[in-house]
Amino acid sequence: MAASIHISLKHKSYLREPESTELGRKIISESIKIIDALGFEQFTFKKLAAEIGSTEASVYRYFENKHKLLVYLISWYWAWVDYTVTFQTHNLPDPRQRLNKALEVLVNAGQEDDPNVAYIDERILYRIVVAESSKVYLTKEVDAENKEGYFLEIKKFCRHLAQLVLAVNPDYPYPHALVSTAMEAAHQQLYFASHLPSLTEIKYSQHAVEETIQFLKHLVYSAIDNSK
Amino acid sequence: MAASIHISLKHKSYLREPESTELGRKIISESIKIIDALGFEQFTFKKLAAEIGSTEASVYRYFENKHKLLVYLISWYWAWVDYTVTFQTHNLPDPRQRLNKALEVLVNAGQEDDPNVAYIDERILYRIVVAESSKVYLTKEVDAENKEGYFLEIKKFCRHLAQLVLAVNPDYPYPHALVSTAMEAAHQQLYFASHLPSLTEIKYSQHAVEETIQFLKHLVYSAIDNSK
DNA sequence: CATTTATGATAGTATTACTATTGTAATTAA
DNA sequence: TTAATTACAATAGTAATACTATCATAAATG
């Protein structure tokens, strides 16, 4: 198990920093469990407050609304994945090895003993990311929230992956489009495997993650190696 | 302009068939406009009823809730795209030509004079599909709704595209995963181009559609042609 | 020791997401 | 032609949601 780390976000989707207080950390850890159990639509601050033995009003002192809490969780996740990829590719000399490892982390994140944080269960958070993450930007407020910097972490990770792609082939013309597609596909294919299996060849089993990695690697390298 | 067509769905996301009455058709056409204008979260049956000069209770006789109305709209869209692809590829002899055309329709749908239906504005519906379609299956009810057949249309179109892929190369191992990825990517890349431009090379302009088609064709054919 | 800060307790509001009932005009069936 | 069905509008009402506001108090800080 890696040493304890601290992930800090570049924006303020929160009103008060949740990492800094006991109540704040309970809000994070318990909201992860409830969103996973009920889905984001059925998740309310009232249910959360009841679960942590606090009140709605107290939760509202940390986050303006549940959407901003989701933004926080998803941003935290991308910052954490970015850190994990940096960490895991650190000593790999070959660009292909680095991209391989990055894709493995992208699909596998939350399954292994990556760097972790005590009050966040990355495995459950990963399920939330798979099922709920597109809801953070598929709203009418996307442009305003983008200006506030709410998507800096996902953009940073996208840039990071795109650089790994360009290190393999500097002539590939769509590095960001390719990796943003792969980032979404990683989660979607796992979701399809367990809920809409006729949309994918990936089988819902203990090998789903490996199959998804295989699919993504084939997709990504076929595209990269087929340029110039 | 193609002859008027009738799209009928295989499931009953509705309580009463909206195509069969004046009020039903008004519910469909006006809900498309309001969801596009306000986003799905801000859309309510009360606002819809006010706009069409009816009442909430009357709208509830057609759809149990707004989620099922969205399921109806998105299902209708996929059935319509499937029909359009069938129509447009009908006389093309070469498998690559057919797959090309299918990808063009996928990205372009709603921009051209495809087969249409009087009370549905396909261009506006297309914007809804881009921004809201993943919300139909990213819910806790996905398995129950899948059993009800709510996703038959998207699955059918996925199967259709996968067959076109296999006609090009029968040895490609992930036809469904590839086309479900492409279906999502088509919409996502257009959305990113206009709201999160650093996630893609596609520029928000009158050429965004063409650039997306280029990207997708490169992605799909690289993968297909790199097998066996 | 004074004061700020964090939280809890409680109350209240507007909106949402419905359900139920009733009256009536238009269709359809006998 | 009349009787029965249906489609819809009008109205009322409920429980839950998504907040906002106020006040008291305990704990931390200066």
Side-chain angles (χ1 to χ4, degrees):
Chain A
M1 192 69 77
S4 150
I5 52 151
H6 176 82
I7 302 281
S8 68
L9 306 183
K10 296 218 164 63
H11 54 83
K12 302 234 330 228
S13 46
Y14 52 83
L15 295 170
R16 181 170 302 176
E17 209 177 342
E19 309 191 45
S20 64
T21 67
E22 182 61 25
L23 180 62
R25 289 186 293 270
K26 274 207 247 170
I27 287 171
I28 299 303
S29 60
E30 195 60 34
S31 67
I32 291 173
K33 287 179 202 159
I34 301 179
I35 293 173
D36 179 54
L38 306 182
F40 185 65
E41 283 73 26
Q42 303 306 314
F43 167 75
T44 68
F45 279 1
K46 194 169 192 176
K47 292 172 186 171
L48 171 61
E51 211 61 41
I52 61 183
S54 180
T55 62
E56 244 185 307
S58 295
V59 176
Y60 274 103
R61 291 194 186 99
Y62 283 83
F63 291 97
E64 255 180 79
N65 52 53
K66 68 176 184 171
H67 179 256
K68 300 215 172 179
L69 172 54
L70 185 65
V71 169
Y72 180 90
L73 295 176
I74 303 295
S75 295
W76 191 95
Y77 170 81
W78 286 117
W80 175 77
V81 168
D82 188 64
Y83 177 88
T84 304
V85 167
T86 302
F87 183 83
Q88 300 253 14
T89 59
H90 185 245
N91 283 316
L92 299 176
D94 178 43
R96 272 171 208 271
Q97 274 187 305
R98 292 208 300 279
L99 183 53
N100 275 334
K101 180 57 85 175
L103 291 174
E104 287 158 20
V105 170
L106 173 66
V107 182
N108 215 22
Q111 308 306 118
E112 307 208 336
D113 54 347
D114 292 309
N116 72 349
V117 168
Y119 62 96
I120 295 187
D121 186 329
E122 289 86 0
R123 288 175 199 225
I124 306 183
L125 180 56
Y126 185 66
R127 292 204 295 267
I128 293 179
V129 169
V130 167
E132 321 284 0
S133 63
S134 63
K135 294 170 191 170
V136 305
Y137 59 75
L138 291 178
T139 71
K140 280 286 162 184
E141 294 77 35
V142 58
D143 297 326
E145 295 189 345
N146 189 27
K147 271 192 190 156
E148 293 291 311
Y150 287 8
F151 309 115
L152 282 169
E153 286 78 14
I154 188 173
K155 290 192 231 173
K156 186 183 175 199
F157 183 63
C158 181
R159 204 179 330 118
H160 186 166
L161 282 190
Q163 280 160 0
L164 296 181
V165 164
L166 288 176
V168 172
N169 180 0
D171 293 320
Y172 178 67
Y174 307 108
H176 294 84
L178 178 66
V179 302
S180 64
T181 296
M183 285 160 67
E184 294 287 338
H187 302 147
Q188 255 155 32
Q189 294 299 310
L190 289 174
Y191 189 86
F192 290 162
S194 61
H195 299 292
L196 297 164
S198 57
L199 298 182
T200 183
E201 279 74 26
I202 315 291
K203 299 284 163 239
Y204 178 64
S205 75
Q206 62 270 57
H207 306 112
V209 163
E210 280 70 36
E211 289 176 39
T212 303
I213 292 171
Q214 283 314 111
F215 164 66
L216 277 186
K217 282 184 182 175
H218 185 271
L219 183 73
V220 167
Y221 283 109
S222 297
I224 301 177
D225 291 332
N226 186 30
S227 286
K228 196 57 178 298
Chain B
M1 191 69 76
S4 151
I5 53 152
H6 177 81
I7 303 281
S8 68
L9 306 182
K10 297 217 164 64
H11 54 83
K12 301 234 329 226
S13 45
Y14 53 82
L15 295 170
R16 179 170 302 175
E17 209 177 343
E19 310 191 45
S20 63
T21 67
E22 181 62 24
L23 180 62
R25 290 186 292 270
K26 274 208 249 171
I27 287 172
I28 299 302
S29 60
E30 195 60 35
S31 67
I32 291 173
K33 287 179 202 160
I34 301 179
I35 293 173
D36 178 55
L38 307 182
F40 185 65
E41 284 72 25
Q42 302 307 314
F43 167 76
T44 68
F45 279 0
K46 194 169 193 177
K47 292 172 186 172
L48 170 62
E51 212 60 41
I52 61 182
S54 180
T55 63
E56 246 185 306
S58 295
V59 176
Y60 274 104
R61 292 198 188 94
Y62 283 82
F63 291 97
E64 254 181 80
N65 52 52
K66 69 176 185 170
H67 179 257
K68 301 216 170 179
L69 171 54
L70 185 64
V71 169
Y72 180 90
L73 294 177
I74 304 295
S75 296
W76 191 95
Y77 170 80
W78 286 116
W80 176 77
V81 168
D82 188 64
Y83 177 87
T84 303
V85 167
T86 303
F87 183 84
Q88 299 253 17
T89 58
H90 186 243
N91 282 316
L92 299 176
D94 178 44
R96 272 170 209 271
Q97 275 186 306
R98 292 208 299 279
L99 183 53
N100 275 334
K101 179 57 84 176
L103 292 174
E104 287 159 21
V105 169
L106 173 66
V107 182
N108 216 22
Q111 308 307 118
E112 307 206 336
D113 53 349
D114 292 310
N116 71 350
V117 168
Y119 61 96
I120 295 187
D121 186 329
E122 288 86 0
R123 289 175 198 223
I124 306 184
L125 180 55
Y126 184 67
R127 292 204 295 267
I128 293 179
V129 169
V130 167
E132 320 285 0
S133 64
S134 64
K135 294 171 191 170
V136 304
Y137 59 77
L138 291 177
T139 72
K140 279 285 163 183
E141 294 76 35
V142 58
D143 298 327
E145 295 189 345
N146 190 25
K147 271 191 190 157
E148 293 291 310
Y150 287 8
F151 309 115
L152 282 169
E153 286 78 14
I154 188 172
K155 290 192 232 171
K156 186 183 176 198
F157 183 63
C158 181
R159 205 177 331 118
H160 186 166
L161 282 189
Q163 279 161 0
L164 296 182
V165 164
L166 288 176
V168 173
N169 180 359
D171 294 319
Y172 178 67
Y174 308 108
H176 294 84
L178 178 66
V179 302
S180 64
T181 296
M183 285 160 66
E184 295 285 338
H187 302 148
Q188 255 154 32
Q189 294 299 311
L190 288 174
Y191 189 86
F192 290 162
S194 61
H195 299 293
L196 297 164
S198 57
L199 298 183
T200 183
E201 279 75 25
I202 315 289
K203 298 284 164 240
Y204 178 63
S205 73
Q206 64 269 57
H207 307 113
V209 163
E210 280 71 36
E211 290 176 38
T212 303
I213 292 172
Q214 283 313 111
F215 164 66
L216 278 186
K217 283 185 182 175
H218 185 270
L219 184 73
V220 167
Y221 283 109
S222 298
I224 302 177
D225 291 332
N226 186 30
S227 285
K228 203 32 176 320

